[in-house]
Amino acid sequence: MNSFWIILFHTYLNKLKSKSFIVTTILTVVLVLGLTNINNIIDLFDKNGGKDKVAVLDETGQLYEPFKKQLNTINKDITLSLYKGSEKDAEKAVEKGDYQGVIQLQLNEENLPEATFKAMSIADSSLFTDLQTALQQVKTMLAASQINLAPAQLQKLYEPVAFEKLALEKNAKTEEELNQARGLVYVLLFIIYFSVIMYANMIAMEVATEKSSRVMEILISSVSPIRQMFAKILGIGLLSLTQLAVFLIVGYYSLTKNIDSLKEGFFGVYGFGDIPVETIIYAVIFFILGYFLYATLAAFLGSLVSRIEDVQQMITPMTLLVVAGFMIAMFGLGKPDAPFITATSYIPFFTPMIMFLRVGMLTIPAWEAILGIVILVATITVLAIFGARVYRGGVLMYGKSNSYKDIKKALQLTKNE
């Protein structure tokens, strides 16, 4: 058993001290800090403090005030200024950077408003949309007055219809709970997706590196293959937990410091308060099982190659499985109760992401989640037994690996020992 712990901690410490791990961790921490401080960063580079200043040329003399009033209800960060000069002067002011754009208000033949908006670039679609929406409301008001509609009648006409959503299923989640769960599931799906790809690839590379250095024969003669394989898997797993702990601590601290500025964006729609404890527990369980599933698969696939440059080719199908599961889960965020989502949640290679999606988004019977966990554990056990046999023979195979036929050769080598 001592050899198991030696390999485990050697793998963990060796990767922990590597330059690639340190650089990746630092870059990801910077990215996390950047995302949680995105509003502050935008304000830092925005000389207008997040506000857009637009010059208005009102050729009618009567549209500016109602237009300004309507725009103020839509977006208070857009400041309108009635420009007294000529159109050319207004365009020069935009070129100098005094204004983001200039809007020219006119009346058409039907005595209804129309406008022309000019800016250095028309890439800012949000600014254009807000101006257009405000002018549309002004046009609606003028059109209503032409057909003698009273303000109260107009308000009643455009009043939003009352539409309430209620679930008949017992203990079904409310819309607020669904939005909250969707945000959590969205974030954790990304964590599971990137972690599985990154750390499973790391295990395959670790095995291939040792084979290329020709020390594998010594290790195999002193340590059983299943001990060696799981020592590496647990070593990289411990490394992943260390790295994720750093990301979560930094992310949580930065998020709490900037939560007020982020309420209007993603966190305003998908809150993270009052997260159910069982959802967190399921997230941890499916993350760990998903890691072991793909890590075991990556370990014996990595044992089939002799050169580091062949690793990516060998594990590409495994990576595609992860990508497929992630894409299905992204579709399921909008329709988690679809029969297709339910069916794929029981396919072992998709279960970590899709079953967690269903647990987080729906109120499903406990036995369904437990069945998913049992299927995962059974699949990991089968892969571990089969993988250990392939691993034992695979690590003794050298030469270029071109196909999965080498799995059969590895099993034959194991039998001949």
Side-chain angles (χ1 to χ4, degrees), residues 192 195-197 199-201 203 229-230 233-234 285-301 318 321-322 325 344-354 372-385 387:
I192 293 172
S195 297
V196 166
I197 285 183
Y199 299 119
N201 181 67
I203 289 171
M229 185 173 73
F230 274 96
I233 290 172
L234 289 173
I285 291 172
F286 283 114
F287 171 76
I288 292 173
L289 292 178
Y291 167 77
F292 274 108
L293 178 72
Y294 283 100
T296 306
L297 186 61
F300 82 76
L301 287 178
M318 181 195 74
L321 280 175
V322 181
T344 51
S345 68
Y346 294 105
I347 300 175
F349 294 104
F350 300 153
T351 300
M353 286 181 276
I354 301 176
I373 292 171
V374 170
I375 290 173
L376 270 177
V377 172
T379 305
I380 292 169
T381 304
V382 171
L383 274 177
I385 296 171

Side-chain angles (χ1 to χ4, degrees), residues 124-393:
D124 188 353
S125 59
S126 61
L127 173 60
F128 174 79
T129 301
D130 289 341
L131 292 172
Q132 185 182 35
T133 302
L135 191 62
Q136 179 65 42
Q137 292 178 357
V138 173
K139 179 183 178 181
T140 301
M141 290 169 53
L142 292 176
S145 65
Q146 288 181 5
I147 58 176
N148 298 320
L149 276 180
Q153 292 174 312
L154 182 64
Q155 184 178 358
K156 195 174 185 69
L157 182 64
Y158 286 97
E159 187 179 77
V161 64
F163 198 99
E164 186 178 2
K165 290 189 287 184
L166 294 173
L168 295 177
E169 185 181 1
K170 189 178 179 181
N171 298 323
K173 295 182 187 292
T174 63
E175 188 173 6
E176 184 180 352
E177 290 173 333
L178 277 173
N179 283 336
Q180 189 179 85
R182 187 175 285 111
L184 175 66
V185 170
Y186 187 80
V187 171
L188 290 177
L189 281 175
F190 269 98
I191 292 176
I192 293 172
Y193 172 67
F194 286 110
S195 297
V196 166
I197 285 183
M198 182 166 63
Y199 299 119
N201 181 67
M202 196 180 292
I203 289 171
M205 292 291 289
E206 177 76 7
V207 175
T209 301
E210 288 188 355
K211 278 190 68 176
S212 64
S213 63
R214 297 275 176 162
V215 299
M216 191 59 75
E217 295 95 331
I218 301 173
L219 287 173
I220 286 295
S221 62
S222 58
V223 185
S224 67
I226 195 163
R227 279 190 185 180
Q228 184 185 344
M229 185 173 73
F230 274 96
K232 289 185 179 299
I233 290 172
L234 289 173
I236 300 295
L238 192 59
L239 183 77
S240 69
L241 291 177
T242 303
Q243 197 171 46
L244 286 174
V246 173
F247 299 158
L248 290 174
I249 291 170
V250 172
Y252 179 78
Y253 176 79
S254 183
L255 189 61
T256 54
K257 293 292 183 182
N258 298 280
I259 192 66
D260 290 335
S261 63
L262 294 170
K263 281 183 179 178
E264 295 181 0
F266 179 84
F267 295 96
V269 179
Y270 306 116
F272 289 91
D274 301 324
I275 298 171
V277 176
E278 58 268 24
T279 303
I280 301 296
I281 293 172
Y282 277 123
V284 173
I285 291 172
F286 283 114
F287 171 76
I288 292 173
L289 292 178
Y291 167 77
F292 274 108
L293 178 72
Y294 283 100
T296 306
L297 186 61
F300 82 76
L301 287 178
S303 70
L304 296 174
V305 300
S306 303
R307 301 185 307 169
I308 296 175
E309 51 266 34
D310 293 332
V311 171
Q312 289 300 328
Q313 180 183 350
M314 185 60 70
I315 67 171
T316 294
M318 181 195 74
T319 304
L320 292 177
L321 280 175
V322 181
V323 173
F326 180 75
M327 296 303 293
I328 294 170
M330 286 294 103
F331 166 79
L333 280 172
K335 202 171 182 180
D337 56 350
F340 173 67
I341 297 298
T342 303
T344 51
S345 68
Y346 294 105
I347 300 175
F349 294 104
F350 300 153
T351 300
M353 286 181 276
I354 301 176
M355 184 61 79
F356 171 65
L357 165 76
R358 294 183 64 222
V359 169
M361 295 287 295
L362 303 172
T363 305
I364 64 173
W367 68 264
E368 292 191 23
I370 293 171
L371 178 59
I373 292 171
V374 170
I375 290 173
L376 270 177
V377 172
T379 305
I380 292 169
T381 304
V382 171
L383 274 177
I385 296 171
F386 178 73
R389 295 178 62 193
V390 175
Y391 188 93
R392 186 177 183 88

Side-chain angles (χ1 to χ4, degrees), residues 11 19 35 38 65 70 81 145 223 263 282 317 366 397-398:
T11 302
K19 289 183 180 180
L35 290 174
I38 188 66
E65 287 301 332
Q70 291 297 330
S81 297
S145 65
V223 185
K263 281 183 179 178
Y282 277 123
M397 291 169 52
Y398 291 91

